[in-house]
Amino acid sequence: MEEEEGYCAGSHLGGGGACVGPARRRCGSCGAVRYCSVAHQRAHWLEHKESCQRMVRQMEEAEALNEFPFPFTKEFAIDNHMPCSFLEKLGLHGKGLWKGECKCLNLKSVTIKGQAENDEGWHLRSSLCPCTAPPRPDVGEIKDWSSYYGWRQLPLCSPVALLLHQPLTLFHALSLIGGRNANFSTTSQNSLNIHYLGPEREIDQIGVFAELLCLLPRIQINIDFVGPAVPSSRDQEIVSLCGYAKCLDDDCDCKFSSLRNEEIRQGNSDRFHRNLTIQFWKGLYHDRYEELAKKGKADLVLAPNAGVAAFPSWRETIELLSMTRLPTIMTDYCREACILATKCISTVHGRPLSHPFCCVCRYKLILSDSH
């Protein structure tokens, strides 16, 4: 089988010259980084030798991290560089909530605003997606995907985990800041304010966050999506989610629910009882923070797949978070990215982190590219 092409780790170095071709040559020790040539590998060694042995251990753990209960795991891992192929096999390519997963340029500009309600749904049969409330409202202990699928009575062949990692990461983050055994469904707190930093695909997949309605029942959930990827046309727009994303079955209970999802502008929100709201804010967090603070203090700041070490713009946000001492959890694409991010944050913070930089085990962190 031909070696998969990757990014040349020495491409940014001047000593090795320009890349001469695809990066098919791997480091002989860790196997984690790739190069286009021997010259780039030699030029990169001074930089790579510090992390090489650490990456050896990480590569040894990689197989265990990729152990998922889904029958499509290996197939998706093969197709993850072009998920369109995988989604096409499932009949989901370019449809509903799955549009955000598609890398086709002609679909990237499509938004859910103004589409028919079913176009925002799962495009799956009711037996394959969480379109209604769970039969057993008590969440109990969710320790892995198998237990979650069991609680939601979904077969493991259902692909919804590819999208549900977003609300489940948020739920897990809330559990971490509230204590590992925290039960938010019985808490005396009747609302949660969450700042969600750097959304990209999530902007066109907001329907999946309705899953929080069953994870955090009887709690008003307010999420602020803040990031440069938010379209200017949606800046400060409010979306209310009062029901789950719909399935394909015409006779399913999700079609007859009295609670209907509505996209609404601020000022028209009194018509509906809102269990979960999402407001969009275009720009960097530190630039929009004063406006956000007027809405109230955040119970959680979550930055999924942050890429702290890769983007210098995080520095001002980290300084702000250090000053405000807001509960913050960041995730990153892999363990090495978390280690590098921890160093960056500690440098800005001026002291070691009081809580380890958290890499929440999200399905997409392992099987797909950063977003």
Side-chain angles (χ1 to χ4, degrees):
M1 181 177 178
E2 186 177 0
E3 174 72 18
E4 181 184 355
E5 298 178 9
Y7 170 75
C8 176
S11 62
H12 65 289
L13 302 172
C19 284
V20 297
R24 296 189 176 126
R25 182 183 183 87
R26 290 179 181 266
C27 170
S29 296
C30 68
V33 294
R34 303 175 187 228
Y35 304 95
C36 67
S37 64
V38 174
H40 271 191
Q41 184 172 1
R42 288 174 177 169
H44 187 243
W45 175 244
L46 287 178
E47 183 178 320
H48 176 57
K49 66 179 181 180
E50 179 184 349
S51 60
C52 187
Q53 287 306 307
R54 189 168 66 231
M55 288 185 173
V56 169
R57 295 190 294 272
Q58 293 170 16
M59 292 296 284
E60 290 172 350
E61 298 169 353
E63 186 174 347
L65 290 174
N66 279 282
E67 288 181 359
F68 293 97
F70 310 113
F72 54 80
T73 297
K74 290 183 178 180
E75 183 180 6
F76 183 76
I78 293 172
D79 287 342
N80 72 359
H81 63 289
M82 185 53 69
C84 301
S85 174
F86 177 77
L87 295 174
E88 187 68 45
K89 295 173 185 175
L90 299 178
L92 299 172
H93 182 246
K95 295 181 179 178
L97 294 170
W98 303 94
K99 284 191 177 79
E101 296 298 291
C102 184
K103 293 187 176 180
C104 295
L105 293 177
N106 63 323
L107 291 175
K108 274 298 183 183
S109 60
V110 177
T111 65
I112 63 174
K113 191 173 180 179
Q115 295 174 357
E117 185 175 345
N118 196 47
D119 262 356
E120 301 172 19
W122 289 107
H123 278 266
L124 292 165
R125 296 295 181 187
S126 59
S127 60
L128 294 175
C129 63
C131 59
T132 58
R136 179 169 55 85
D138 180 25
V139 176
E141 183 181 2
I142 298 174
K143 57 183 180 179
D144 52 28
W145 279 114
S146 293
S147 58
Y148 190 81
Y149 266 51
W151 177 60
R152 288 303 256 135
Q153 295 192 348
L154 296 171
L156 290 175
C157 62
S158 168
V160 296
L162 301 176
L163 303 186
L164 285 178
H165 68 87
Q166 297 167 357
L168 288 180
T169 294
L170 197 158
F171 179 71
H172 182 55
L174 286 168
S175 299
L176 286 174
I177 65 167
R180 194 164 294 276
N181 297 316
N183 187 344
F184 289 92
S185 64
T186 59
T187 183
S188 58
Q189 185 171 344
N190 56 17
S191 67
L192 286 169
N193 297 319
I194 300 159
H195 293 172
Y196 192 107
L197 311 190
E200 293 186 0
R201 295 179 185 179
E202 296 95 328
I203 296 169
D204 287 337
Q205 296 173 337
I206 57 173
V208 302
F209 285 87
E211 190 68 2
L212 294 170
L213 295 174
C214 65
L215 289 166
L216 301 167
R218 299 180 297 279
I219 295 179
Q220 175 67 36
I221 308 165
N222 306 304
I223 306 175
D224 290 294
F225 276 6
V226 191
V230 172
S232 298
S233 61
R234 305 195 75 171
D235 187 37
Q236 297 194 49
E237 179 184 343
I238 296 176
V239 175
S240 176
L241 297 177
C242 300
Y244 303 101
K246 304 294 188 285
C247 69
L248 285 177
D249 298 344
D250 293 333
D251 58 348
C252 180
D253 289 345
C254 70
K255 303 297 190 302
F256 305 102
S257 171
S258 60
L259 297 176
R260 182 171 177 267
N261 290 347
E262 291 287 342
E263 287 206 347
I264 55 177
R265 296 273 182 185
Q266 192 169 10
N268 297 324
S269 58
D270 293 338
R271 294 175 55 201
F272 300 95
H273 173 71
R274 294 178 291 164
N275 296 94
L276 187 154
T277 63
I278 296 176
Q279 186 167 15
F280 298 95
W281 301 82
K282 182 174 180 60
L284 299 175
Y285 184 63
H286 53 267
D287 291 330
R288 304 302 301 264
Y289 177 74
E290 287 189 10
E291 297 169 88
L292 290 161
K294 293 177 182 178
K295 297 176 61 179
K297 184 179 179 180
D299 298 295
L300 168 68
V301 178
L302 176 65
N305 263 5
V308 170
F311 299 102
S313 57
W314 276 112
R315 183 179 182 90
E316 290 184 66
T317 290
I318 294 169
E319 290 174 345
L320 173 66
L321 292 170
S322 178
M323 179 181 65
T324 58
R325 304 184 68 84
L326 293 173
T328 301
I329 287 183
M330 295 176 169
T331 75
D332 230 311
Y333 181 70
C334 63
R335 193 179 302 275
E336 181 63 18
C338 289
I339 292 171
L340 297 176
T342 301
K343 293 180 179 179
C344 292
I345 294 173
S346 298
T347 300
V348 177
H349 199 46
R351 57 184 182 274
L353 297 178
S354 59
H355 189 285
F357 187 87
C358 177
C359 181
V360 179
C361 293
R362 304 190 304 158
Y363 188 76
K364 294 298 288 298
L365 284 178
I366 304 301
L367 292 184
S368 188
D369 56 301
S370 177
H371 66 280

